[in-house]
Amino acid sequence: MPGKNKAMEVLLSRTSTDRLDAPAPKGSVLMQILSTSLRAPDHGRMRPWRFITVAGKHRAAFAELLVAAMRRTDPEVKSAKLEKKRARYAEVPMTIILGMDLHPNAKIPVDEQVMAVAAGAMNVLNALHAEGFGGMWVSGAFQNDEIFREKLGLTRHQKIAGFLQVGTVEGRASETKRPDIDLYHARWKGDPVAFGADK
Ligand SMILES: Cc1cc2nc3c(=O)[nH]c(=O)nc-3n(C[C@H](O)[C@H](O)[C@H](O)COP(=O)(O)O)c2cc1C
């Protein structure tokens, strides 16, 4: 249900979709969208976000890198799966690689550093939606492949949280029905709570 103001309407209507056409955001609009990540909570001001955008003529070479990483991660991987992934990453208007600059020996636990990246990524997904674009967060075991990360320019400390596939939603995004929030909320009144979702 839409909220009372535009921001609430955006937050309450975002949905993921992989049906993405050109265009993807670019220039100052893209930079503004990415800037919303810097509004994410970030314990210790670790600033762990590292975004790499891939668009236009560079998509094919990126898809190649990704497929090579899939092969190294799973030498038994079926060629049909590789071809599907290659085509996907070569075609989707833009991929935003969600890099994370992680410091295991810092005072702030790594989990919290990862959460700051995830919170930033969520802001980016919402900002994409607010600006009329669509996106979907995807991932794969291949993202941990060291050669892949190195070829992208990530350092030893920099891991990948996944990829945002970005573009303009083809037609209308099909609305995924959301559960009732009451299932996921409980009021603490002194005794242990029980969630509707766990019944
Ligand atoms: C870290 C992370 C990784 C994900 N990886 C995948 C993925 O590889 N494939 C996929 O179909 N969905 C993946 N998802 C889920 C989708 O991004 C999306 O949330 C899901 O399709 C539900 O759509 P919704 O965002 O509209 O609820 C991932 C989500 C997160 C947070």
Side-chain angles (χ1 to χ4, degrees):
M1 195 211 282
K4 282 198 289 277
N5 62 47
K6 190 77 175 71
M8 285 302 281
E9 238 172 72
V10 167
L11 294 174
L12 288 168
S13 62
R14 188 211 67 86
T15 185
S16 300
T17 180
D18 58 359
R19 292 171 48 220
L20 298 165
D21 245 336
K26 57 181 188 191
S28 59
V29 174
L30 174 61
M31 289 304 119
Q32 206 170 36
I33 288 169
L34 292 177
S35 297
T36 65
S37 65
L38 308 177
R39 296 285 168 168
D42 171 24
H43 195 181
R45 295 199 185 144
M46 301 291 289
R47 305 202 164 117
W49 320 279
R50 297 290 188 276
F51 299 104
I52 303 174
T53 55
V54 184
K57 65 176 185 193
H58 302 290
R59 291 173 297 173
F62 173 63
E64 258 344 287
L65 277 190
L66 194 147
V67 161
M70 283 178 77
R71 263 204 208 97
R72 281 190 297 272
T73 306
D74 176 10
E76 317 268 88
V77 64
K78 296 253 180 344
S79 60
K81 189 171 173 185
L82 293 177
E83 287 321 308
K84 205 171 150 201
K85 275 280 192 270
R86 189 201 307 276
R88 178 67 186 153
Y89 282 89
E91 276 166 20
V92 73
M94 176 184 283
T95 297
I96 303 176
I97 301 156
L98 300 171
M100 313 187 273
D101 187 56
L102 302 178
H103 294 271
N105 298 322
K107 213 168 78 190
I108 310 300
V110 167
D111 280 357
E112 294 193 15
Q113 299 172 39
V114 171
M115 284 190 262
V117 172
M122 187 67 246
N123 270 4
V124 170
L125 282 171
N126 279 320
L128 284 165
H129 178 49
E131 290 288 354
F133 298 98
M136 175 148 171
W137 188 339
V138 294
S139 55
F142 63 86
Q143 72 196 32
N144 300 316
D145 180 70
E146 255 178 66
I147 300 172
F148 178 61
R149 285 192 277 130
E150 209 176 279
K151 291 206 169 183
L152 290 170
L154 297 171
T155 66
R156 216 164 44 83
H157 284 297
Q158 296 175 343
K159 305 276 158 46
I160 294 176
F163 310 86
L164 301 184
Q165 297 188 332
V166 176
T168 299
V169 179
E170 274 177 39
R172 276 174 69 93
S174 58
E175 180 50 54
T176 326
K177 194 169 161 16
R178 307 288 158 167
D180 193 328
I181 189 59
D182 286 345
L183 295 171
Y184 302 95
H185 166 246
R187 274 193 189 80
W188 190 74
K189 295 175 180 169
D191 292 321
V193 301
F195 292 99
D198 301 330
K199 278 183 188 146

